[in-house]
């Protein structure tokens, strides 16, 4: 672990001694709430605060009593990370809406000495918390007057501090790109859609699916984007008059184009321009009446709230829970109530009431039929999703397409990664919409120099979004040895631009092609790379396509492995993950699965560290916690292999716990892509194609494309909050080519968080935290990093 730096602020300098923090979940439940509760409890205890559960939301606060407001222990949140819903209960509470109810709640909090409240819920729950905070001093004065508390007690507990986290599957809260539970709900929807598509294809059926979203169409929109639905109906975008005919025409055209199924997704709050609800039965009857298609309705209902939380939600909730505790420790009497939010790939704090006000403005705009304004107020993520869906789902007639006369080739390089096919589909359709002729290259650069190039049309990529692996085929072959043949093929097919989708090999390929420009003018064309690798080891980006799917595979497997020991006392599991020399999967997977340790190359360890971990687990096994989980990156150390660690733990833990080991292997690369990877691949690919179009226009001179500047050969990656095009040449200094990893990796900051939640004492750099920001409206498109879904 890095030594404290004078420029950094470390968490151990902040103390919660003497403070009491209470955590509650309110309103509708959402997967990931338990991970947030666990993080608040453990981080609170870690800094010396007393932490309390408030059961059944505000109802428990109003009712009081030992059962409803109970002190939490470290062990009381064990084994809840993978549990859906909320184990401390949630309820709608009418009494808390009354002054009398809030007075009783205040009395019960003061009795326990609680003046710090962490509320996990929707906008109604958070608005109630803020009102409670504003009334606090008046409520205490009433309690003193009634003789229920003393004047000293009133002065001691004079200020109530509130920090919110948004738990809502609808993602309907302004100010955050993602709310806790949304990603898991999308997992449930996509699992159902993928299953339905197989039966629909067998019988040539049309399926109309209703998903949740009474006031917000986020789930419907993103699931439509993630499965390539034919039509989507959402509250924020009522269809124009005559939409029924247009929808039927599109369904008919798709069926005529040899597509055997149609999917229509309807948000439960979908409305027409006259504010009249559009129901699934209405849509079904319409399709049957106009087209005679065999049509079925599926209403997903509360299945969307159920099941285990996804890896994304566990990590998001854990990060937010830790940030919430830090915010409570740093708050003063003048600090406004804040909500912990996600912006791009960063946790931020925003004033609670600013977010609530904007959320209410959305509904007001919709009530006034100002639907474009409502979409803008929803935020950059929603707006970008809607724009991308329109771009990909609705093909313009040939007569309306621009004619560019440019040929763009797409190829996959390196190992397969889930989401590659979604990226290819998006690139092909956006490219055709921009007027280009799109070419698919099979088997990467090996296929390119062998001439395995063919034109790919709009319909050719139908249904690709949900397919895992690489349908184009992918090889690790680098172009350096074959530049002459590759140049010849590019001349032969008149390739004017190149889109490369892949991992570290793709990055090396672009560097080699850039160098080859000196001898081959055929490479003086716009070239763009999209990072796609489960290892997430590409420089210039925080996230790569495919890494989320791999994380979910790791977390699901760890859950099952831990469950296998439910009838066995005291067992430790040693799990080996992939990733080459990059410890991303082991570290972030460890955080999401609740690991006790994760061994990686980037953080050197020795026998003393291994011994310390064994001793830590031995101590842990003496409590009610009876299972341990240790992850090891495959190349973390050439001597301390998985077998060695397994044998060491087995020997040193003899008589206290036994061990099992598991090498996950290529299962991490397989399976259908997660909703995140489908969406991420789709959106950054669309952005890359628009960049290519711009570069082609800029570099077309005297009847040919000629691009030889650094900024015409770029990697598109997410950096903190922004999606950035970065010249690959400029990323060379940031890269460790021997170990195929970036020299600096953002996720290393999450490792101390994993250790703290596993009860280790460690340094945690919080330099990026503590700044209360403000809600920003209409961010410029250039900084759009809203690929967080």
């Amino acid at each position: 672990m890095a030594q404290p730096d004078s420029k950094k602020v470390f968490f151990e300098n902040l103390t919660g001694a003497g403070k009491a923090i209470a955590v509650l979940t309110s309103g509708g439940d959402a997967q990931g709430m338990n991970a947030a509760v666990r993080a608040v409890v453990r981080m609170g205890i870690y800094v010396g605060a007393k932490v309390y559960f408030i059961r059944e939301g505000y109802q428990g606060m109003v009712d009081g009593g030992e059962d409803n407001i109970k002190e939490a222990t470290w062990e009381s949140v064990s084994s809840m990370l993978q549990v859906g819903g909320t184990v401390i209960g949630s309820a709608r509470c009418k009494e808390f809406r009354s002054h009398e109810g809030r007075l009783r709640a205040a009395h019960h909090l003061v009795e326990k000495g609680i003046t710090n409240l962490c509320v996990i819920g929707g906008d109604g729950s958070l608005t109630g918390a803020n009102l409670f905070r504003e009334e606090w001093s008046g409520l205490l004065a009433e309690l003193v007057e009634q003789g229920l508390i003393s004047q000293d007690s009133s002065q001691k507990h004079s200020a109530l501090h509130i920090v919110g986290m948004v738990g809502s599957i609808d993602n309907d809260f302004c100010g955050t790109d993602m709310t806790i539970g949304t990603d898991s709900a999308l997992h449930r929807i996509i699992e159902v859609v993928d299953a339905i598509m197989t039966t629909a294809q067998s019988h040539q059926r049309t399926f109309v699916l209703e998903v949740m979203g009474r006031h917000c169409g986020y789930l419907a929109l993103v699931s439509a984007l993630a499965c390539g639905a034919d039509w989507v109906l959402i509250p924020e975008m009522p269809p124009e008059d005559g939409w029924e005919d247009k929808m039927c025409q599109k369904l008919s055209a798709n069926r005529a184009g040899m597509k055997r199924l149609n999917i229509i997704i309807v948000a439960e709050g979908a409305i027409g321009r006259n504010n009249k609800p559009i129901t699934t039965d209405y849509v079904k009857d319409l399709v049957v009446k106009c087209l005679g298609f065999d049509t079925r309705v599926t209403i997903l209902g509360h299945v969307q709230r159920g099941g285990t939380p996804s890896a994304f939600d566990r990590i998001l909730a854990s990060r937010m829970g830790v940030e919430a505790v830090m915010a409570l420790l740093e708050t003063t009497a003048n600090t406004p109530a804040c909500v912990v939010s996600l912006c791009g790939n960063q946790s931020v704090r925003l004033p609670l009431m600013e977010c609530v006000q904007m959320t209410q403005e959305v509904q007001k705009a919709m009530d006034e039929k100002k639907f474009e304004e409502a979409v803008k107020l929803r935020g950059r993520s929603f707006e970008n999703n809607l724009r991308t869906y329109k771009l990909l789902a609705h093909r313009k007639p040939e007569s309306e397409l621009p004619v560019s006369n440019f040929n763009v080739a797409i190829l996959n390089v390196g190992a397969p990664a889930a989401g590659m096919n979604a990226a290819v589909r998006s690139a092909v359709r956006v490219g055709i919409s921009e007027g280009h002729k799109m070419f698919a290259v099979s088997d990467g650069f090996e296929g390119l120099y062998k001439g395995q190039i063919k034109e790919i049309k709009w319909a050719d990529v139908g249904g690709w979004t949900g397919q895992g692996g690489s349908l184009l085929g992918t090889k690790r072959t680098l172009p350096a040895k074959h530049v002459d043949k590759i140049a010849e093929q590019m001349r032969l097919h008149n390739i004017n631009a190149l889109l490369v989708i892949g991992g570290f090999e793709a990055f090396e390929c672009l560097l080699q092609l850039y160098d080859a420009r000196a001898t081959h003018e055929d490479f003086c064309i716009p070239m763009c790379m999209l990072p796609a690798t489960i290892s997430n080891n590409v420089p210039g980006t925080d996230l790569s396509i495919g890494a989320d799917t791999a994380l979910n595979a790791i977390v699901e497997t760890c859950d099952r492995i831990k469950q296998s020991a439910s009838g066995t006392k005291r067992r430790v599991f040693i799990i080996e993950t992939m990733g080459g020399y990059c410890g991303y999967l082991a570290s972030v997977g460890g955080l999401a699965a609740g690991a006790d340790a994760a061994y990686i190359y980037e953080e050197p360890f020795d026998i003393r560290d291994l011994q310390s971990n064994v001793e830590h687990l031995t101590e842990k096994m003496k409590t009610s916690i009876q299972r341990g989980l240790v992850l090891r990156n495959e190349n973390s150390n050439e001597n301390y292999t998985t077998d060695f660690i397994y044998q060491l733990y087995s020997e040193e833990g003899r008589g206290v716990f036994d061990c099992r080991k598991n090498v996950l292997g290529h299962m991490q690369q397989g399976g259908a892509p997660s909703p995140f990877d489908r969406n991420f691949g789709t959106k950054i690919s669309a952005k890359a194609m628009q960049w290519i179009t711009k570069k082609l226009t800029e570099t077309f001179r005297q009847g040919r494309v000629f691009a030889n500047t650094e900024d015409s050969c770029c990697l598109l990656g997410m950096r903190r909050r922004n999606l950035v095009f970065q010249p690959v040449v400029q990323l060379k200094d940031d890269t460790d080519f021997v170990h195929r990893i970036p020299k600096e990796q953002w996720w290393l900051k999450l490792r101390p968080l994993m250790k703290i939640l596993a009860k280790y004492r460690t340094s945690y750099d919080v330099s990026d935290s503590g700044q209360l920001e403000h809600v920003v409206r209409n961010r410029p498109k250039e900084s759009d990093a809203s690929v967080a879904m």
Side-chain angles (χ1 to χ4, degrees), residues 115-411:
T115 54
N116 297 281
L117 212 52
C118 185
V119 182
I120 308 167
D123 61 332
S125 303
L126 298 177
T127 304
N130 191 64
L131 175 62
F132 190 40
R133 173 184 169 275
E134 289 174 346
E135 291 182 348
W136 183 256
S137 58
L139 294 171
L140 294 195
E142 282 186 56
L143 291 171
V144 171
E145 193 177 313
Q146 294 175 19
L148 294 171
I149 63 171
S150 67
Q151 187 65 47
D152 286 347
S153 185
S154 173
Q155 289 175 354
K156 186 179 177 182
H157 306 104
S158 59
L160 179 68
H161 306 299
I162 302 282
V163 172
M165 286 183 274
V166 190
S168 166
I169 68 166
D170 292 332
N171 203 28
D172 56 353
F173 192 81
C174 294
T176 184
D177 287 346
M178 282 288 272
T179 57
I180 296 168
T182 305
D183 185 67
S184 300
L186 286 168
H187 272 258
R188 300 296 92 79
I189 295 168
I190 294 304
E191 284 162 10
V192 172
V193 172
D194 284 352
I196 279 175
M197 287 175 89
T198 57
T199 183
Q201 213 155 18
S202 301
H203 295 277
Q204 294 197 57
R205 281 185 178 144
T206 296
F207 270 88
V208 184
L209 272 76
E210 180 183 288
V211 301
M212 282 185 167
R214 194 174 295 116
H215 303 293
C216 178
Y218 186 88
L219 287 178
L221 177 58
V222 174
S223 55
L225 197 56
C227 72
D230 298 272
W231 203 267
V232 65
L233 294 158
I234 59 174
E236 295 88 347
M237 187 185 68
E240 296 175 2
D241 293 339
W243 66 271
E244 293 94 340
D245 291 338
K246 289 181 181 177
M247 183 185 76
C248 290
Q249 285 170 12
K250 184 181 179 190
L251 298 180
S252 181
N254 285 350
R255 196 63 68 88
M258 303 305 290
K259 186 176 179 181
R260 293 178 60 85
L261 75 154
N262 302 110
I263 300 286
I264 302 165
I265 296 182
V266 184
E268 61 179 329
I271 53 172
R273 290 278 164 178
N274 55 1
N275 279 0
K276 185 179 177 183
I278 299 175
T279 66
T280 48
D281 284 335
Y282 175 76
V283 175
K284 175 199 169 183
D285 293 343
L286 183 68
V287 174
V288 172
K289 180 183 174 184
C290 296
L291 301 174
F293 289 172
D294 186 4
T295 307
R296 299 284 190 275
V297 169
T298 300
I299 298 175
L300 269 61
H302 282 76
V303 74
Q304 295 159 86
R305 289 193 189 278
T308 59
S310 66
F312 184 98
D313 271 329
R314 298 185 199 195
I315 296 159
L316 174 67
S318 298
R319 291 175 70 182
M320 283 186 169
V322 169
E323 187 72 25
V325 171
M326 289 193 287
L328 285 171
L329 293 185
E330 295 168 5
T331 192
T332 66
N334 299 321
T335 308
C338 75
V339 61
V340 180
S341 301
L342 181 74
C343 183
N345 193 31
Q346 265 197 301
S347 293
V348 297
R349 302 178 199 170
L350 298 171
L352 172 57
M353 291 317 293
E354 283 187 22
C355 298
V356 169
Q357 185 180 355
M358 188 179 287
T359 304
Q360 292 169 347
E361 284 179 26
V362 174
Q363 192 56 50
K364 184 184 175 186
M366 288 168 63
D367 291 341
E368 295 173 355
K369 297 187 179 183
K370 297 176 180 176
F371 298 110
E372 287 186 13
E373 184 181 333
V375 168
K376 285 189 182 300
L377 288 168
R378 276 270 180 247
R380 59 199 185 129
S381 178
F382 191 93
E383 195 174 6
N384 197 22
N385 279 314
L386 185 56
R387 191 186 310 118
T388 308
Y389 177 79
K390 287 180 178 177
L391 198 61
L392 298 175
H394 303 293
R395 185 181 183 183
K396 293 179 182 176
E398 296 285 342
S399 57
E400 294 181 22
L401 290 175
V403 181
S404 71
N405 294 320
F406 292 126
N407 295 343
V408 181
I410 306 171
L411 65 161

Side-chain angles (χ1 to χ4, degrees), residues 676-736:
F676 182 96
D677 278 329
R678 298 181 193 201
N679 199 297
F680 187 31
T682 296
K683 289 202 284 189
I684 68 166
S685 189
K687 194 173 183 72
M689 282 306 305
Q690 290 167 336
W691 177 87
I692 284 174
T693 298
K694 182 183 174 188
K695 287 294 177 186
L696 283 169
T697 306
E698 289 174 356
T699 58
F700 185 70
R701 298 287 181 274
Q702 298 176 341
R704 58 170 291 195
V705 173
F706 186 81
N708 65 346
T709 55
E710 287 184 359
D711 66 354
S712 62
C713 183
C714 284
L715 178 149
L716 173 58
M718 179 195 272
R719 303 299 291 262
R720 292 165 71 88
R721 304 187 191 188
N722 302 328
L723 278 177
V724 187
F725 289 96
Q726 302 147 98
V728 290
V729 176
Q730 294 178 14
L731 293 173
K732 285 172 74 173
D733 292 339
D734 301 336
T735 308
D736 174 354

